[in-house]
Amino acid sequence: MFNVIIIEDDPMVAAIDRQYVEMTAGFRVTGMFDGGISALKGADFDHTDLIILDYFMPEMNGDEFINQLHRTGWSPAIIMVTSANDTETVTSLFRHGVVDYLVKPFEYERFRSALERFSARMNVLSGTSGTVSQSDIDRLISPSTSGEPGKNTLAKGLNAPTLNLIRSFLKKHPEDSFTSEQISKEVNLSRITVRRYVNHMLEIGELTSTIDYQTGGRPGIHYKYCKV
């Protein structure tokens, strides 16, 4: 299980980041901060594997935060989730060791892909015996090129009848979008089960997802069937 902290001053985006992390197997949020200074004071970096970091924050921007973090001797992996997309900023952040970069607005598929690439790299390194081969390095550079499941391959724990049940319901309503909670009620499955299957369908391109900010609380994710 990878420990993740989120540093984001926009409460709405921070809530989305947290929801996306918690939807992705193998990751958990262990801290949330509204800026770099509060994170440097309160985060447990000794037990942090990954930071989800915004760039534009009060008092200290993302570049300044990374500089200060490295001065203190900590160097967890960092994924930027930010609206900063000018060449100078992007170049500087990659030079500071950022492992991935998502430009707002973003969708869950891209967010999950960033987490899964990070997980794949870490799994390669943890599976070695102190040295890495060329094939290990190739997998670190492009972890998705080896053993990537095809569209007809189900991940462990998924089964075709349940997938077809959810697929059949969504195909009957091609113009509508649904939350995982709505789907679970319609197909009489648990919300957790439905989320696992819609995540798979997102991965293979059968669904698209959008974020609903008008919920009066935590943002919701809506899924819509698309032809593949």
Side-chain angles (χ1 to χ4, degrees), residues 4-224:
V4 181
I5 68 169
I6 295 168
I7 306 175
E8 168 64 65
D9 66 314
D10 185 328
M12 186 72 72
V13 177
I16 294 170
D17 289 347
R18 179 168 197 147
Q19 186 173 4
Y20 281 0
V21 170
E22 292 175 346
M23 287 171 60
T24 307
F27 293 84
R28 64 183 174 191
V29 175
T30 56
M32 297 185 68
F33 302 90
D34 60 5
I37 291 179
S38 61
L40 288 168
K41 290 179 178 178
D44 180 10
F45 292 112
D46 285 330
H47 299 95
T48 297
D49 302 298
L50 177 65
I51 298 174
I52 306 298
L53 178 65
D54 186 21
Y55 183 82
F56 295 115
M57 297 180 292
E59 300 179 325
M60 178 183 290
N61 66 33
D63 239 343
E64 294 165 338
F65 167 78
I66 296 173
N67 281 332
Q68 187 61 38
L69 183 68
H70 289 171
R71 288 192 192 103
T72 60
W74 287 306
S75 56
I78 296 174
I79 294 176
M80 299 300 301
V81 177
T82 178
S83 59
N85 63 350
D86 61 281
T87 303
E88 183 178 352
T89 299
V90 174
T91 301
S92 176
L93 289 167
F94 274 117
R95 284 175 176 168
H96 278 91
V98 167
V99 300
D100 212 328
Y101 203 110
L102 281 69
V103 177
K104 300 175 184 176
F106 53 91
E107 295 187 350
Y108 172 61
E109 298 98 298
R110 181 61 181 86
F111 192 100
R112 184 190 62 202
S113 176
L115 295 184
E116 290 180 344
R117 281 200 288 264
F118 165 78
S119 176
R121 293 188 187 102
M122 297 302 291
N123 288 337
V124 168
L125 290 172
S126 65
T128 63
S129 56
T131 60
V132 291
S133 65
Q134 183 64 59
S135 62
D136 291 329
I137 293 172
D138 292 342
R139 289 163 63 198
L140 287 171
I141 295 171
S142 185
S144 63
T145 61
S146 177
E148 183 177 5
K151 289 192 174 185
N152 295 321
T153 303
L154 288 178
K156 183 178 180 181
L158 304 185
N159 63 75
T162 303
L163 175 62
N164 289 333
L165 178 65
I166 296 172
R167 177 185 288 141
S168 177
F169 166 71
L170 292 170
K171 288 179 72 173
K172 290 178 181 177
H173 307 276
E175 302 303 318
D176 300 319
S177 63
F178 302 90
T179 65
S180 58
E181 290 84 355
Q182 291 171 328
I183 297 171
S184 69
K185 291 178 181 178
E186 293 291 338
V187 299
N188 196 29
L189 293 170
S190 74
R191 185 171 52 187
I192 294 174
T193 297
V194 167
R195 282 181 177 173
R196 293 176 61 208
Y197 282 88
V198 295
N199 287 346
H200 170 75
M201 295 175 76
L202 283 169
E203 184 175 347
I204 65 176
E206 280 196 80
L207 302 182
T208 58
S209 66
T210 55
I211 304 171
D212 179 14
Y213 296 96
Q214 309 300 320
T215 60
R218 195 173 187 177
I221 302 174
H222 286 246
Y223 304 97
K224 184 176 181 179

